Amino acid sequence: MSELLIELFSEEIPARMQARAAEDLRLMVTEGLASQGLAQGEAKSFATPRRLTLVVEGLSPRSADVSEEKKGPRVGAPDAAIQGFLKGAGLAAISDAQVVSDPKKGDYYVARITKPGRDASAIVPEVVSETIAKFNWPKSMRWGSGRMRWVRPLKSVLCQIDGKALTLSIEGVASSSETRGHRFLGAGAMQPEGFADYQKKLKAAKVMLDAEERRKLILDKARKVAHAHDLELVEDEALARENAGLVEWPSVLMGRFDESFLSVPEAVLSTSMKAHQKCFSLRDPETEALAARFLLVSNLEAQDGGKQIIAGNEKVIRARLSDAKFFYDQDLKRPMDDMWSALHDITFHEKLGSQHDRVERIAALAEAIAPKVDADPVDCRRAAQLAKADLVSGMVGEFPELQGHMGRI
């Protein structure tokens, strides 16, 4: 049994697409190999910002021979039927077929066809080429003069069985036995011999192949940096996964922002830093209040200890938080009743009226249901009227995920 290693190397793949793409690659290739009669063992797929990788263990070196019977017309059938049967069965003459007798149907022709198996080295390039051609990205692009579509320009294809490179070409991108490490920290092209060597060489070239390993490392480093400054990390698994899809060699650095921004609600600060800069928030463990610090995940091991990277992020964070503070301050000057009235200008549905019409229906329902749950009908109606008011606020316009939360504040 053999080991198959495939790497599709490209420009940066969006983080949100990586996990699905890795799984699609595994399914499409393994199903393609199985359809061609190649037995296989465990298959694992991986994704980094610049590569999709698949390793298949226990690949049979050759597909099995296949024997099949093709039933033909009855003996004495018209010549056109005979010729059609010969063509479909791949026989040169009717004498190559066998005659089978059936007590009810009489004598008829049968073609017994044996298809010899093929080497895996011939099947794999076909399956990989077909997979790339049919791969379904949420968004894809073309580049240069070619017609091939991929999420970002495809730079190289590594395809090898037991360390031996296979030959294939996709729209001018020829396969090779080479891969590359980290964009900035790597040392040029490498020629791995099998998956174990591939992993080893990538790690030496500052590429951590496993996304889950990168995610765990990011959180571990973030907790340690926070603890070193007597702070507590605001845990965010989704943000950790996204950062794992943005870096191949994670490094965690701490930055600061002006304490005057702490007058803005914590949810606004955290959302702004997360949405725009993919940064983690920090909390004072004693007061449980948000600290005027943040953690960023870098894809570099900077020679200056990250000072320039931190300074650049602090500059952007300052601008982002200034915008957020402006929107919040402007919203505070606008009564909720004004926002509620502004819902007249937003269409909810062509046949159901505006958002204001919708809110009035919700308010009527709330008022009717309130007595059944021992609630005050007036309060329930008022709450329902204000429930959607923050949809027209500047904050929700900037951060839609804060709708409802900003209204409460």
Side-chain angles (χ1 to χ4, degrees), residues 150-172:
W150 200 247
V151 62
R152 295 290 185 270
L154 188 65
K155 311 295 277 185
S156 68
V157 176
L158 182 150
C159 185
Q160 55 181 226
I161 294 179
D162 290 337
K164 182 179 179 182
L166 305 182
T167 301
L168 65 139
S169 181
I170 295 113
E171 291 260 357

Side-chain angles (χ1 to χ4, degrees), residues 105-346:
K105 298 181 179 180
D107 296 344
Y108 60 91
Y109 294 109
V110 170
R112 289 188 168 89
I113 305 165
T114 299
K115 294 181 180 179
R118 295 195 297 157
D119 290 340
S121 58
I123 295 174
V124 168
E126 295 174 2
V127 171
V128 173
S129 297
E130 185 178 2
T131 296
I132 293 174
K134 294 182 177 180
F135 209 88
N136 184 27
W137 293 97
K139 289 185 178 180
S140 59
M141 62 179 290
R142 290 185 295 167
W143 60 95
S145 58
R147 299 190 60 80
M148 174 188 171
R149 301 190 71 89
W150 200 247
V151 62
R152 295 290 185 270
L154 188 65
K155 311 295 277 185
S156 68
V157 176
L158 182 150
C159 185
Q160 55 181 226
I161 294 179
D162 290 337
K164 182 179 179 182
L166 305 182
T167 301
L168 65 139
S169 181
I170 295 113
E171 291 260 357
V173 180
S175 65
S176 70
S177 58
E178 290 186 349
T179 186
R180 300 173 183 82
H182 193 282
R183 183 184 288 276
F184 305 110
L185 305 176
M190 304 172 292
Q191 294 187 337
E193 297 179 359
F195 181 64
D197 189 46
Y198 172 78
Q199 277 189 304
K200 181 180 177 181
K201 282 185 164 67
L202 281 183
K203 201 155 194 176
K206 307 297 184 183
V207 173
M208 194 174 289
L209 184 62
D210 190 340
E212 181 63 14
E213 187 181 355
R214 297 196 301 273
R215 183 195 67 82
K216 289 180 179 178
L217 182 63
I218 287 169
L219 286 175
D220 184 56
K221 286 187 173 183
R223 292 176 187 127
K224 287 180 178 178
V225 172
H227 182 71
H229 291 81
D230 297 322
L231 296 172
E232 184 180 80
L233 175 69
V234 177
E235 301 282 341
D236 192 326
E237 286 288 339
L239 183 56
R241 283 194 298 271
E242 185 173 10
N243 271 294
L246 296 172
V247 298
E248 290 188 318
W249 196 253
S251 174
V252 177
L253 303 170
M254 178 178 284
R256 302 169 179 264
F257 59 85
D258 196 301
E259 292 192 1
S260 63
F261 289 122
L262 293 176
S263 61
V264 178
E266 291 184 4
V268 174
L269 298 178
S270 296
T271 302
S272 179
M273 291 189 289
K274 173 182 176 178
H276 293 303
Q277 293 302 108
K278 316 304 177 190
C279 291
F280 291 89
S281 300
L282 294 167
R283 192 180 299 281
D284 186 325
E286 294 184 1
T287 64
E288 295 190 355
L290 211 65
R293 308 277 186 95
F294 62 88
L295 295 179
L296 65 98
V297 181
S298 171
N299 197 31
L300 288 174
E301 288 181 344
Q303 294 182 351
D304 64 353
K307 292 180 180 179
Q308 290 188 38
I309 297 173
I310 293 171
N313 276 268
E314 286 178 340
K315 183 177 180 181
V316 177
I317 288 285
R318 183 165 57 250
R320 295 295 189 184
L321 296 186
S322 293
D323 288 344
K325 188 175 188 304
F326 171 78
F327 287 126
Y328 179 64
D329 290 342
Q330 293 302 110
D331 287 341
L332 289 179
K333 298 175 183 178
R334 189 179 183 188
M336 291 288 282
D337 282 320
D338 284 0
M339 296 186 189
W340 169 57
S341 297
L343 294 175
H344 279 295
D345 301 326
I346 302 176

Side-chain angles (χ1 to χ4, degrees), residues 74-75 99-109:
R74 60 180 173 77
V75 174
V99 177
V100 176
S101 297
D102 188 299
K104 295 181 179 180
K105 298 181 179 180
D107 296 344
Y108 60 91
Y109 294 109

Side-chain angles (χ1 to χ4, degrees), residues 111 146 153 205 240 254 267 305 342 349 399:
M254 178 178 284
H349 188 280
F399 302 110

